């Protein structure tokens, strides 16, 4: 499908995110801003961060980075300090950007405060809900609830989350899907006979200790939502069956502090017969330019999430020609067909995950079929198409 620009007035839009780090919501915001800018739409990218450092990669769009507050000890303190700092920085920008399109709880609360203080109904606040966090603090639960109920318009990236928001909050949301820069990730695929791609993939495998072992990639760090505990159990099952893969964990930036969970997962490795920095390698956050090469270097992406808004890493892997094994979340089933473009397994089922990973690693024909179909599926989701759908929404604002 060819995306067409929406007719109507082009109200300048401030796309607002709470972070300049390479987490899903921030990555989404950067790509959307660039696609809108490339289509000639007046947009500015606004974020909390260090103005001297900037985003996780160079950004091809006008940018304002509002200084982030100092790191505070508790999540509550960090959230409310960030809301206050972002609201203060947004206030002088609101006149130039009558639409503030926010991408998270923090930026939505900040934009709502700016709108309410103005008392004019401007700026109009749009919020994209990527997922809902499992907060336990009453104040954070209330903050998240208000960040869903108080914006003027709510968007989601999947049908599943549209249904959930209506069920849990009575909120009617519109679906605008994510995109992926398929050409960027495809270019790193060694199967495309590019000498540089083959050399870089070989070097990354060596760095991970997988020069002569299967390399399983995990993207997103070690945290509860990513199903990391289930994944290491599956890796142990593969090792016990004599396959000895390496699990490389890329990423890990998060506003929340998952250190207790990460420590528990890592502490479980010896009891599972796994060794850190051998069977499980924490790669951490990698330069944005290097990320496609990690997909190209691996044999399979393991993505056993317990909750996702959409799963950008899945589309990135598919674009790079990397077979995917993911949990069978409803959101994944919106664009994946089990056994055709990915293998899907029950959530929190380490045995099923291990079996599916084994299938991909042991059956080259299956891996090739998954790659071929995944490439077709990924091409349906472009940032240009997503930008055009957003423009139609902005044009309807009066």
């Amino acid at each position: 499908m060819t995306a067409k620009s929406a007719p109507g007035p082009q109200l300048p839009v401030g796309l607002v995110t709470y972070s300049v780090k390479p987490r899903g919501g921030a990555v989404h915001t950067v790509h959307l801003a660039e696609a809108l800018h490339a289509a000639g739409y007046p947009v500015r990218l606004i974020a909390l961060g260090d103005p001297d450092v900037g985003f996780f990669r160079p950004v091809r769009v006008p940018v304002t980075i509002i200084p982030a507050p100092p790191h505070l000890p508790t999540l509550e303190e960090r959230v409310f300090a960030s809301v206050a700092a972002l609201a203060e920085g947004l206030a002088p920008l609101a006149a130039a950007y009558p639409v503030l399109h926010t991408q998270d709880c923090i930026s939505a609360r900040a934009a709502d405060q700016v709108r309410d203080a103005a008392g004019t109904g401007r700026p109009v606040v749009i919020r994209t809900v990527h997922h809902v966090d499992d907060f336990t603090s009453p104040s954070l639960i209330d903050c998240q609830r208000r960040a869903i109920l108080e914006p003027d318009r709510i968007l989601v990236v999947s049908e599943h989350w549209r249904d959930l928001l209506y069920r849990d909050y009575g909120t009617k949301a519109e679906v605008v899907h994510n995109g992926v820069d398929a050409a960027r990730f495809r270019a790193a695929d060694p199967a495309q006979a590019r000498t540089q791609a083959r050399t870089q993939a070989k070097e990354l495998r060596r760095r991970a200790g997988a020069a002569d072992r299967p390399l399983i990639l995990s993207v997103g760090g070690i945290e509860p939502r990513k199903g990391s505990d289930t994944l290491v159990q599956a890796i142990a099952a593969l090792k016990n069956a004599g396959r000895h893969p390496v699990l490389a964990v890329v990423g890990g930036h998060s506003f929340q502090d998952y250190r207790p969970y990460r420590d528990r997962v890592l502490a479980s490795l010896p009891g599972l017969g796994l060794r850190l920095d051998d069977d499980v390698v924490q790669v951490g956050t990698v330069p944005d330019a290097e990320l496609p090469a990690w997909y190209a270097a691996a044999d399979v992406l393991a993505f056993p999430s317990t909750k996702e808004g959409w799963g950008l890493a899945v589309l990135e892997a598919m674009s790079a020609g990397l077979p995917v094994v993911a949990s069978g979340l409803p959101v994944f089933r919106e664009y994946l067909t089990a056994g055709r473009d990915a293998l899907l397994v029950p959530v929190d089922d380490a045995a099923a995950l291990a079996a599916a990973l084994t299938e991909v690693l042991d059956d080259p024909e299956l891996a090739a079929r998954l790659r071929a179909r995944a490439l077709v599926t990924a091409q349906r989701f472009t940032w240009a198409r997503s930008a055009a759908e957003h423009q139609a929404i902005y044009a309807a604002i009066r």
Side-chain angles (χ1 to χ4, degrees):
M1 177 183 295
T2 301
K4 296 181 180 179
S5 297
Q10 292 191 324
L11 293 175
V13 171
L15 277 177
V16 192
T17 177
Y18 75 103
S19 176
V20 295
K21 303 297 185 181
R23 294 291 291 182
V27 172
H28 168 104
T29 311
V30 168
H31 281 288
L32 175 58
E34 290 181 331
L36 287 165
H37 183 68
Y41 199 90
V43 62
R44 175 170 292 273
L45 184 58
I46 305 167
L48 276 181
D50 184 341
D52 294 330
V53 175
F55 272 88
F56 58 91
R57 67 162 173 82
V59 179
R60 300 181 298 274
V61 64
V63 171
T64 295
I65 297 180
I66 296 167
H71 184 80
L72 295 169
T74 70
L75 180 60
E76 285 186 343
E77 290 175 303
R78 292 196 295 275
V79 166
F80 292 114
S82 295
V83 170
L86 196 48
E88 182 179 1
L90 283 175
L93 298 171
Y97 294 92
V99 178
L100 293 179
H101 183 177
T102 64
Q103 301 288 329
D104 49 80
C105 173
I106 289 171
S107 60
R109 292 296 301 126
D112 286 341
Q113 290 179 13
V114 171
R115 177 201 60 201
D116 295 346
T120 62
R122 286 289 194 268
V124 172
V125 178
I126 300 175
R127 161 86 194 277
T128 294
V129 178
H130 295 272
H131 68 272
V132 175
D133 286 303
D134 295 320
F135 292 132
T136 56
S137 158
S139 62
L140 291 181
I141 292 171
D142 180 65
C143 179
Q144 181 163 249
R145 181 186 63 82
R146 294 175 67 183
I148 293 171
L149 296 178
E150 295 184 1
D152 300 293
R153 203 156 182 175
I154 294 292
L155 309 181
V156 289
V157 293
S158 67
E159 303 285 345
H160 175 66
W161 280 99
R162 179 176 64 180
D163 294 343
L164 284 182
L165 290 191
Y166 186 73
R167 184 195 71 189
D168 295 343
Y169 296 89
T171 296
K172 293 183 179 180
E174 300 166 76
V175 178
V176 183
H177 292 129
N178 267 319
V180 66
D181 185 351
R184 175 184 178 230
F185 291 97
R186 186 63 172 153
D189 184 357
Q192 299 305 296
R194 292 177 175 85
T195 302
Q196 182 178 0
R198 291 197 301 270
T199 300
Q200 189 172 18
K202 184 177 180 180
E203 171 59 19
L204 292 183
R205 291 183 72 97
R206 185 196 64 77
R207 278 171 48 186
D212 55 357
R213 297 165 64 184
L215 179 59
I216 297 172
L217 184 66
S218 171
V219 175
I222 297 176
E223 63 178 69
R225 190 167 62 88
K226 297 301 179 183
S228 305
D229 51 355
T230 300
L231 179 53
V232 297
Q233 293 170 32
I235 298 301
L238 266 66
K239 184 175 182 180
N240 291 336
R243 287 181 177 80
H244 302 287
V246 174
L247 172 65
V249 183
V250 170
H253 268 298
S254 179
F255 193 82
Q256 298 192 51
D257 185 357
Y258 293 118
R259 281 179 297 178
Y261 175 85
R262 183 172 66 247
D263 291 346
R264 287 197 301 273
V265 170
L266 296 179
S268 74
L269 298 183
L272 293 170
L274 301 176
R275 292 184 296 176
L276 186 61
D277 299 325
D278 180 11
D279 303 302
V280 177
V281 177
Q282 294 188 93
V283 178
T285 301
V286 301
D288 184 70
E290 187 179 279
L291 181 59
W294 277 103
Y295 288 115
D299 296 298
V300 60
L301 175 74
F303 208 69
S305 300
T306 63
K307 178 190 291 187
E308 288 289 343
W310 180 254
L312 276 175
V314 171
L315 278 182
E316 292 172 349
M318 292 164 65
S319 299
L322 179 64
V324 172
V325 176
S327 49
L329 295 174
V331 65
F332 291 149
R333 294 185 182 277
E334 289 185 28
Y335 63 97
L336 300 176
T337 300
R340 186 179 68 171
D341 39 24
L343 298 186
L344 302 180
V345 299
V347 175
D348 294 330
D349 190 333
L353 178 59
L357 292 171
T358 298
E359 282 189 75
V360 175
L361 294 175
D362 288 0
D363 188 342
E365 291 185 2
L366 169 63
R369 288 197 303 271
L370 292 175
R371 278 194 295 267
R373 185 60 201 178
L375 288 169
V376 174
T377 299
Q379 289 170 4
R380 292 165 41 206
F381 300 98
T382 68
W383 284 114
R385 175 179 175 176
S386 181
E389 293 175 357
H390 280 90
Q391 287 182 69
I393 289 169
Y394 302 152
I397 296 172
R398 296 291 184 267

